Amino acid sequence: MTTRKPRAVSFETWVERQVREAQERGAFENLPGAGKPLPPGAYEEGSWIREKARREDLPVAAMLPPGLALRKEVEDLPVRLARERTPERVRTVLVELDARVFAWNCGPQEPPTYVRRVDVEARLADWQEAWTAAAAVQPVVVVPGASLGRRRWSFRRRSRP
């Protein structure tokens, strides 16, 4: 355990003396990674945060300030809308996001970040156009004699206990 710094000694002198004494004792010998270069990105500020997010597969938006998270959500909107199947659900997603953006822009912000509002009607029209184009590319194939109704529950594969 280190001793307290004497009042008459400067921090720099005191720290240098502690390091020199530790070197004389051999405290820095045979350390893991001795003589090896640091991994790439180790010099960058906040690299440990990026590494942890990559290792645990965390979403980037969870680490952003609220304004930037909203911008990221608006940027990722086409991917999110591509998963939706009904125009009503798409409209709901767009209206909710636009309301959050409006509330953000009206409130106090630290740091000041303006987020562009979502044009609900234009985005909905884009989604409908993409949806009809995708439906035209992938026609539904109906096999004669095949049932289009739901399968009965008794035919489902039973899970093992």
Side-chain angles (χ1 to χ4, degrees):
M1 181 155 180
T2 57
T3 58
R4 293 184 64 93
K5 180 187 89 58
R7 286 187 176 190
V9 180
S10 70
F11 274 108
E12 187 175 349
T13 307
W14 181 68
V15 170
E16 287 175 359
R17 188 182 80 217
Q18 297 249 336
V19 170
R20 183 179 35 78
E21 289 173 357
Q23 284 175 335
E24 290 170 359
R25 286 192 313 265
F28 297 122
E29 295 176 8
N30 299 326
L31 292 175
K36 297 178 184 173
L38 291 174
Y43 299 108
E44 299 171 11
E45 183 177 341
S47 62
W48 67 273
I49 297 171
R50 284 189 296 280
E51 178 61 30
K52 181 168 179 66
R54 186 194 59 75
R55 197 172 49 245
E56 296 185 10
D57 198 27
L58 297 173
V60 175
M63 297 180 285
L64 295 174
L68 294 180
L70 267 176
R71 278 188 174 184
K72 178 83 170 131
E73 194 172 343
V74 170
E75 181 182 310
D76 295 341
L77 194 57
V79 174
R80 183 175 177 193
L81 294 181
R83 293 190 302 252
E84 301 300 336
R85 299 289 176 226
T86 63
E88 293 80 19
R89 179 65 187 140
V90 171
R91 181 178 294 280
T92 303
V93 168
L94 290 170
V95 168
E96 288 175 0
L97 179 60
D98 188 50
R100 285 189 288 131
V101 168
F102 180 75
W104 172 258
N105 288 336
C106 290
Q109 305 163 6
E110 189 61 40
T113 309
Y114 178 77
V115 181
R116 184 170 294 225
R117 295 201 44 200
V118 178
D119 186 357
V120 176
E121 297 305 322
R123 292 287 181 120
L124 184 60
D126 291 344
W127 177 85
Q128 286 176 336
E129 183 179 312
W131 185 258
T132 54
V137 170
Q138 299 175 354
V140 177
V141 177
V142 178
V143 178
S147 172
L148 296 177
R150 292 186 176 184
R151 293 179 69 182
R152 294 195 330 228
W153 66 271
S154 62
F155 291 111
R156 291 187 183 159
R157 186 174 153 179
R158 295 183 185 178
S159 61
R160 295 182 182 176

